[in-house]
Amino acid sequence: MSTDFQTARVALGARLRELRSEAGLNGKGVAEVLGWQRSKVSRLETGKQTPTVSDLMEWAQAVGRPGVAAELRGRLVGLESQYRSWRRQLAGGHRARQELAVTETMATQLIRGVEVSRIPGLFQTADYARHAFEANAEFRRIPRDVEAAVRARMRRQEALYEAGKLFRFVVWEAALYVLTCPPPR
């Protein structure tokens, strides 16, 4: 999923958490007020679930800030717009998005990233990338331009050898154990 989309969803969750905290409620308390499971509150606050407009309106009421409902609704509309943009970028397959990443990487001096679930694209082998693109194309039901996308991703790695570029990545250890490719024979 788009890092922009996920970042926006996490930011919306942080805003919900901030409003809850300002109201003097903990997660269990707001769940009780709303009649929701605590797990739903947690998923919304951590950006793991996208709230509905109704969820946001109820949240604003529950934290005693009905006037903030319009702000929350606006954030949700922005989030949905980012998701649609991401879907448009992938509508023709992965290659175009990878070409954009090559261009952005070449124009950037300091590249930072955080990844919790897989090896960042910049460090993937061709085989790893191929399997990731195939799985993503199947899941999202988008065209399978896998080989062109893999070639673009591998071209992006040329930036790793350019003088003057800095790379700062944090990769959660578990990402190293996620089985993206079949095990070697």
Side-chain angles (χ1 to χ4, degrees):
M1 178 57 59
S2 165
T3 54
D4 291 341
F5 171 79
Q6 186 56 30
T7 299
R9 193 161 71 171
V10 168
L12 176 56
R15 180 66 174 130
L16 295 175
R17 188 171 42 257
E18 176 184 37
L19 291 167
R20 174 189 49 77
S21 181
E22 288 173 358
L25 295 169
N26 60 20
K28 180 180 178 183
V30 79
E32 288 174 359
V33 169
L34 291 166
W36 295 351
Q37 296 291 321
R38 283 185 284 172
S39 60
K40 178 176 180 175
V41 170
S42 175
R43 287 190 311 269
L44 292 175
E45 288 188 349
T46 58
K48 289 181 171 54
Q49 178 178 332
T50 304
T52 65
V53 171
S54 175
D55 290 340
L56 296 175
M57 302 306 106
E58 291 175 34
W59 193 284
Q61 289 293 330
V63 298
R65 300 276 305 273
V68 80
E71 172 207 334
L72 296 175
R73 190 174 329 125
R75 286 177 180 248
L76 181 61
V77 167
L79 179 73
E80 291 168 345
S81 175
Q82 287 176 333
Y83 179 73
R84 284 189 303 275
S85 172
W86 180 250
R87 292 290 300 162
R88 277 192 302 277
Q89 287 179 39
L90 291 179
H94 288 97
R95 186 197 54 77
R97 180 66 189 98
Q98 292 306 305
E99 294 290 349
L100 178 60
V102 170
T103 303
E104 290 172 346
T105 300
M106 296 304 169
T108 305
Q109 294 301 308
L110 173 60
I111 300 172
R112 297 181 188 135
V114 175
E115 184 58 68
V116 298
S117 62
R118 62 176 38 165
I119 304 300
L122 199 54
F123 308 119
Q124 292 176 1
T125 64
D127 201 36
Y128 188 102
R130 185 173 295 107
H131 283 87
F133 286 133
E134 286 173 354
N136 198 356
E138 182 178 332
F139 178 74
R140 300 196 184 287
R141 298 184 183 125
I142 59 175
R144 293 177 185 250
D145 59 346
V146 172
E147 292 308 316
V150 169
R151 284 191 299 277
R153 180 161 284 177
M154 296 303 104
R155 268 197 333 276
R156 183 175 178 220
Q157 291 180 355
E158 294 171 12
L160 294 170
Y161 305 99
E162 287 184 22
K165 286 200 183 285
L166 292 172
F167 300 88
R168 302 281 186 253
F169 278 81
V170 175
V171 180
W172 188 40
E173 183 180 0
L176 302 174
Y177 298 103
V178 172
L179 191 60
T180 299
C181 301
R185 296 176 195 231

